[in-house]
Amino acid sequence: MDKVQMQVTFLPVQSSSIDHHRPEALTCYNMLQLPAYSAKDVMRDQLLEALKPDKGFST
């Protein structure tokens, strides 16, 4: 796992409620796609929410 290089990219979202979108993970491509959240705290909260087993990535 220490050799896996994750690429973080921008996730375009066509919504006014961008802070409610969870990030998307494309594990086959080692990519994490993040919307342009309004603040770092929102990004942290959405990432932590996506890691919960009953939630997952994406909306």
Side-chain angles (χ1 to χ4, degrees):
M1 285 304 293
D2 62 340
K3 296 188 189 314
V4 174
Q5 294 189 10
M6 182 69 67
Q7 181 180 10
V8 179
T9 62
F10 172 70
L11 176 65
V13 175
Q14 302 295 326
S15 173
S16 61
S17 59
I18 196 165
D19 286 346
H20 297 305
H21 288 270
R22 286 194 299 272
E24 293 186 13
L26 303 171
T27 55
C28 294
Y29 299 103
N30 297 327
M31 291 179 69
L32 175 64
Q33 295 181 311
L34 297 173
Y37 294 118
S38 63
K40 287 182 183 181
D41 290 342
V42 174
M43 180 178 64
R44 183 197 68 224
D45 292 345
Q46 288 294 3
L47 284 167
L48 290 174
E49 190 70 16
L51 291 173
K52 293 180 180 178
D54 62 329
K55 300 294 181 175
F57 285 81
S58 190
T59 55

